[in-house]
Amino acid sequence: TGADGRFLLENEIIDTSGEPSHDELCALEQRYLLDAIHNDLPLEDHWRDSINSLRIVLAADESFRTGKVLIL
């Protein structure tokens, strides 16, 4: 945003028609977890990514509610 609080760039529509649906993503995640359980695959990177994603969402929510910029 600019000094006046208005957005500097126009909205951009991103075509995601080639991406998996929500249900397809859930199925992929479940298959990966099952494979990790059966083959004793490490999941630490995935856990770390999930926690960081949650930190970003919570910070964005707090920033929106307070109007403050948060440093992660």
Side-chain angles (χ1 to χ4, degrees), residues 15-22 24-25:
D15 180 17
T16 60
S17 60
E19 299 293 324
S21 69
H22 174 76
E24 291 167 332
L25 284 174

Side-chain angles (χ1 to χ4, degrees), residues 5-55:
R6 294 176 186 255
F7 290 111
L8 298 175
L9 302 173
E10 295 292 322
N11 287 339
E12 178 182 352
I13 297 175
I14 300 172
D15 180 17
T16 60
S17 60
E19 299 293 324
S21 69
H22 174 76
D23 289 343
E24 291 167 332
L25 284 174
C26 289
L28 287 169
E29 290 173 351
Q30 290 172 11
R31 281 195 297 272
Y32 187 86
L33 180 59
L34 185 60
D35 186 42
I37 292 168
H38 285 181
N39 296 301
D40 196 29
L41 301 176
L43 295 173
E44 290 84 4
D45 289 342
H46 298 281
W47 294 338
R48 198 172 7 268
D49 291 343
S50 296
I51 291 168
N52 283 332
S53 293
L54 180 58
R55 287 179 65 227

